[in-house]
Amino acid sequence: MTLYLVRHAQCMPKRSQAFSKWALSPVGAHQAEELAGLLEPLEIANVFSSPFTRTLETAKPFARKLGLAIRVVDDLRERLLTKEAGLPSDELWCKSWEDFSFCLPGCETSLAAQARICQTIRDIAHTAEGISAIFTHGNVIPLFLNALTRTVGRAEAEAMTNPDVLKIGWSRGAFTWDRSFRLPGLERIATDHRQTPKEQGSLVGALIARSKHLISRHL
């Protein structure tokens, strides 16, 4: 059994929206369309997704291209770090990796999020027939990898791109991570997390970011 863990494309965080409702930025929408073609040769038979808007918008072009249904799984959602609007602070992000038992009131510890995502991916591996793509998030994917190898931490989480694709094997009740796997063409479309648009940039800022991204592909 092979599973591909797919981090969503670049999104547009907005303080006026719940973080589950953040949509893709113009750059992210373009990335999702491009990603569909890059994933096509992998012979994927099943598509699973977090219910968050940004993951569904990343999965839809691929599912549409192959005529596959998207199976929404709530426990593939992103970890809730803070109930405050907008992106969590760098301090909070770092603390969540330093202390897996830490969380703000009403939020989720790294330990709880890790147990949730591991069980969910295990359930998919047990029940799905054929190769599966799992569209999820940039905090829970590294927490899953940390369960496989404790060497994965904050640095590896921050190194993930939007989108990103990792290859996981499942055999005899155990997962293996193929560290050598690189999806051909991904580096051409992916962006660093630091390129995620800030809300004050609004749509104009996002369009400028997209223009810069498209220009950089041809340099």
Side-chain angles (χ1 to χ4, degrees):
M1 165 71 74
T2 298
L3 308 169
Y4 291 99
L5 303 185
V6 184
R7 187 192 187 186
H8 61 80
Q10 186 188 89
C11 68
M12 175 74 78
K14 291 186 176 181
R15 296 182 63 83
S16 59
Q17 293 178 327
F19 87 133
S20 63
K21 301 299 183 183
W22 294 346
L24 296 183
S25 69
V27 168
H30 177 74
Q31 289 172 330
E33 293 291 341
E34 292 281 306
L35 181 64
L38 300 182
L39 293 174
E40 188 173 6
L42 300 183
E43 300 183 343
I44 291 166
N46 311 290
V47 178
F48 298 87
S49 176
S50 151
F52 283 21
T53 300
R54 53 192 180 272
T55 45
L56 287 169
E57 289 185 348
T58 303
K60 282 177 180 177
F62 173 68
R64 183 172 60 246
K65 189 176 185 69
L66 270 70
L68 298 173
I70 299 175
R71 290 182 249 183
V72 177
V73 180
D74 183 65
D75 279 346
L76 291 174
R77 67 187 181 277
E78 182 60 297
R79 176 203 177 174
L80 182 63
L81 273 171
T82 177
K83 289 189 171 182
E84 292 185 4
L87 291 167
S89 67
D90 290 342
E91 180 181 4
L92 182 58
W93 166 254
C94 292
K95 180 70 172 176
S96 72
W97 282 100
E98 293 166 358
D99 181 358
F100 272 38
S101 63
F102 165 80
C103 76
L104 295 176
C107 296
E108 190 176 27
T109 66
S110 292
L111 283 174
Q114 185 177 65
R116 167 172 60 80
I117 195 66
C118 287
Q119 184 59 54
T120 304
I121 295 175
R122 189 176 295 112
D123 289 345
I124 290 172
H126 271 300
T127 58
E129 295 183 4
I131 298 171
S132 297
I134 300 174
F135 290 76
T136 183
H137 300 270
N139 195 169
V140 291
I141 290 176
L143 286 172
F144 171 77
L145 298 177
N146 174 268
L148 304 186
T149 171
R150 298 302 179 186
T151 59
V152 173
R154 179 168 62 88
E156 288 73 22
E158 292 175 354
M160 290 189 69
T161 59
N162 295 103
D164 212 337
V165 182
L166 294 86
K167 185 177 182 180
I168 303 295
W170 169 258
S171 178
R172 299 180 180 179
F175 291 110
T176 55
W177 173 22
D178 183 354
R179 290 175 178 258
S180 66
F181 174 76
R182 298 290 184 275
L183 181 66
L186 183 66
E187 71 286 348
R188 176 176 56 82
I189 67 168
T191 51
D192 186 274
H193 73 92
R194 290 167 293 189
Q195 295 173 270
T196 300
K198 305 299 182 185
E199 186 175 11
Q200 61 266 29
S202 69
L203 181 58
V204 173
L207 290 172
I208 292 172
R210 179 180 180 179
S211 298
K212 290 180 178 179
H213 174 65
L214 293 175
I215 291 170
S216 68
R217 288 173 49 196
H218 299 287
L219 294 179

